[in-house]
Amino acid sequence: MKRIVMKFGGTSVEDASAMKRVAAITVAQQCPERIVVLSAAAGVTNQLLRTGELAAQGEEATAFDVLSIIRTRHKTIAKQLLPPSFSAPVCGTIDSWCDELGDLVHGIAVLGEATLRSFDLLASFGERLSALIFHAHLVELGLTAELVDARSFMITDHHFSRAVPDLTAIPQKLEEHVVPALCRGAIVVTQGFIGATPNHITTTIGRGGSDHSAALIGSLLDADEIQIWTDVDGILTADPSIVPDAHRIKVMSFMEASELAYFGARVLHPDAILPAISKNIPVRVLNSRHPESHGTAIIAQADSSGHCIVKSIAYKEHITLISIVSTRMFLAHGFLENIFDVFHKYRTVVHTVATSDISVSATINDTTHLAEIIGELGQFATVNASEAKAIVCVVGDNLRNSPGVAARVLNAISGVNINMISAGASEINVSFVVDDAKLEDVVRLLHDEFFNSQDINRDIFD
Ligand code: ADP
Ligand code: ASP
Ligand code: MG
């Protein structure tokens, strides 16, 4: 391999020993061109955003308390990781950035409000701090490493907090800022999640977005592999916080991974797959606490046999189910279009849909505009919204062509009330909606059904 992108998530850079492991993993890669993309240390993005909320609510003193926790944590990491000659200038920069954060927090408190633009600037310090410290560590180890601020190349639009990277502008910027460093033989260290508008205003590309940053960089620089280093052994057959004995999936297809990510498997951001697909770059999900594990390889086609194999169970909790029944008693021409126009108008993403002659059920996550949506739909339909629902999704290549799977799903959870089912829209998922309260039971029941340790295929699962 000539060029790889390695992304390390929050837990992989949470303290000095985690950063040491990351350095060892970086050094161990037998690859001449390495680009390391870092997240903020675990919990720091939330804390930074919290300072803005507190300041806007008039609780400036509490905001400063949180800021001082952030300052102390990073200075502690720097001092534990670096010898004094290195830690002194790094701590100087940490202090000056935290002072800048303090000015920002004070400004928000004076105004009594925080805009998305100021939240993005606040949040950007998390990734900037971890990259600053990690870069110094590599240099101190005697490696040639260059810190490249992602805002110099990750050009985005102005949608603060969910900015969209500009795929036409970024390649040129990567040529200017990243490629020369690689040509100089340096390991490039940069930040995930953050970017800037063409006029240099700091943006962020959405929570959990460092995976997306890494995938974009990898795809636009034609990397040979994109590695997502996290705190689990790879993509598992279910969320390990619900199913502690979930199995590692050794290999899966881009489509399976993207479906899983889209349906809530936090381990991989949904936007991380498309850039990889566009250039057919393998993505590997690995554990920075357990680097010798082989992780999960995500490739174009995981199984060419055409057999259906259920690979994993994902879920999205706390969603809202909207039932829309046409008041005209038949599915009039334009009914679906009118419904989706309303969701589009309020920029509300619809996840799953099921339709019958006169009714449509749809699930949404973002309820910011729920009242307006119900109001407008109410002009041509009877609308009912139920909160506290969860979508559960069974994912695997070729599911649509295998008659037994839906029956097994329904059988396994026969005691549970299902609010809606969607199958067949995609080759590879069967999804349904249940009450939030039943979610954990349902995931466990399905896991028992499809991943019974005795008869799982050991070529695919660990
Ligand atoms: P990072 O900070 O490295 O980006 P995340 O917390 O975003 O890490 O993602 C890793 C977490 O995703 C795991 O710790 C696990 O709890 C959760 N997770 C949810 N579903 C799955 C799954 N199917 N396989 C693996 N991990 C999962
Ligand atoms: N630090 C950011 C977040 O917590 C981005 C990331 O970790 O991927 O959302
Ligand atoms: Mg993540």
Side-chain angles (χ1 to χ4, degrees):
M1 281 197 292
K2 180 169 179 278
R3 182 178 279 177
I4 56 170
V5 175
M6 312 167 72
K7 175 261 168 176
F8 294 90
T11 44
S12 301
V13 291
E14 66 186 353
D15 55 26
S17 37
M19 286 223 188
K20 274 189 192 152
R21 284 195 296 269
V22 171
I25 291 167
T26 308
V27 171
Q29 294 297 319
Q30 303 295 323
C31 180
E33 296 190 354
R34 285 162 285 185
I35 300 149
V36 177
V37 178
L38 295 185
S39 288
V44 168
T45 308
N46 285 348
Q47 287 175 322
L48 287 164
L49 296 174
R50 186 84 192 114
T51 63
E53 284 161 9
L54 287 165
Q57 290 159 8
E59 294 178 49
E60 190 179 350
T62 319
F64 271 89
D65 290 343
V66 178
L67 210 50
S68 108
I69 294 170
I70 296 171
R71 186 192 297 254
T72 309
R73 175 166 172 195
H74 287 93
K75 286 171 78 170
T76 306
I77 299 177
K79 285 180 191 155
Q80 287 174 348
L81 199 61
L82 303 166
S85 59
F86 277 83
S87 67
V90 168
C91 285
T93 307
I94 296 173
D95 272 328
S96 82
W97 285 358
C98 288
D99 292 346
E100 223 179 287
L101 274 167
D103 291 345
L104 194 56
V105 164
H106 179 63
I108 292 170
V110 170
L111 285 171
E113 77 161 338
T115 58
L116 289 179
R117 175 173 164 172
S118 35
F119 277 119
D120 274 2
L121 183 55
L122 284 171
S124 73
F125 282 91
E127 271 64 14
R128 288 159 63 193
L129 285 163
S130 55
L132 171 80
I133 300 170
F134 181 70
H135 167 255
H137 179 45
L138 290 187
V139 174
E140 174 260 320
L141 290 175
L143 297 158
T144 309
E146 292 188 31
L147 179 58
V148 180
D149 192 317
R151 294 169 299 173
S152 67
F153 60 82
M154 190 58 73
I155 307 302
T156 72
D157 67 9
H158 286 76
H159 273 108
F160 295 106
S161 84
R162 293 186 135 267
V164 179
D166 179 349
L167 300 188
T168 53
I170 298 169
Q172 173 65 30
K173 297 287 181 186
L174 285 168
E175 283 300 324
E176 284 168 26
H177 298 280
V178 174
V179 174
L182 294 172
C183 291
R184 287 190 286 271
I187 299 171
V188 169
V189 178
T190 190
Q191 306 89 355
F193 180 54
I194 70 172
T197 65
N199 42 345
H200 314 294
I201 302 166
T202 299
T203 54
T204 65
I205 63 169
R207 293 305 305 271
S210 296
D211 297 347
H212 186 196
S213 304
L216 274 181
I217 297 168
S219 141
L220 295 173
L221 283 179
D222 289 314
D224 298 291
E225 183 167 284
I226 298 160
Q227 300 179 346
I228 305 291
W229 290 85
T230 181
D231 60 353
V232 280
D233 276 351
I235 301 189
L236 308 177
T237 47
D239 183 344
S241 63
I242 295 187
V243 183
D245 55 351
H247 308 277
R248 172 174 70 94
I249 305 167
K250 294 179 181 170
V251 56
M252 66 197 308
S253 69
F254 282 133
M255 291 317 290
E256 288 171 327
S258 124
E259 207 82 350
L260 267 186
Y262 186 70
F263 278 96
R266 191 177 80 228
V267 62
L268 196 64
H269 192 280
D271 294 337
I273 292 295
L274 217 53
I277 295 179
S278 71
K279 292 275 183 72
N280 195 11
I281 302 172
V283 177
R284 199 174 272 281
V285 179
L286 295 146
N287 190 347
S288 69
R289 292 182 181 151
H290 190 195
E292 58 289 350
S293 165
H294 294 290
T296 298
I298 306 169
I299 56 176
Q301 189 143 28
D303 172 32
S304 52
S305 68
H307 289 140
C308 155
I309 294 163
V310 171
K311 290 278 173 61
S312 191
I313 296 154
Y315 65 88
K316 249 189 187 30
E317 53 194 335
H318 313 318
I319 56 142
T320 297
L321 177 66
I322 306 180
S323 309
I324 307 148
V325 181
S326 168
T327 40
R328 310 208 176 109
M329 293 315 289
F330 61 91
L331 191 57
H333 170 73
F335 181 53
L336 290 178
E337 186 183 354
N338 291 342
I339 290 173
F340 286 106
D341 274 352
V342 174
F343 288 110
H344 177 66
K345 178 171 169 191
Y346 293 102
R347 295 176 66 93
T348 299
V349 176
V350 175
H351 292 293
T352 315
V353 197
T355 66
S356 76
D357 273 4
I358 56 157
S359 59
V360 173
S361 292
T363 61
I364 61 169
N365 205 357
D366 176 2
T367 51
T368 321
H369 298 292
L370 184 60
E372 293 98 316
I373 290 171
I374 292 178
E376 293 208 17
L377 291 173
Q379 290 170 14
F380 56 90
T382 308
V383 187
N384 205 331
S386 332
E387 294 178 358
K389 300 288 176 191
I391 308 178
V392 180
C393 175
V394 175
V395 174
D397 275 338
N398 303 314
L399 283 195
R400 184 158 59 188
N401 304 322
S402 51
V405 174
R408 279 177 75 186
V409 168
L410 295 179
N411 244 333
I413 56 166
S414 56
V416 179
N417 185 30
I418 299 177
N419 295 260
M420 165 183 157
I421 301 184
S422 163
S426 132
E427 289 254 336
I428 63 167
N429 98 57
V430 175
S431 44
F432 50 92
V433 176
V434 294
D435 288 346
D436 259 340
K438 291 281 176 211
L439 172 67
E440 298 203 357
D441 288 347
V442 165
V443 172
R444 283 192 206 107
L445 287 167
L446 288 171
H447 197 269
D448 285 350
E449 170 67 28
F450 289 104
F451 303 105
N452 185 313
S453 303
Q454 268 112 60
D455 50 36
I456 60 166
N457 182 339
R458 293 287 166 186
D459 291 339
I460 299 174
F461 306 103
D462 229 3

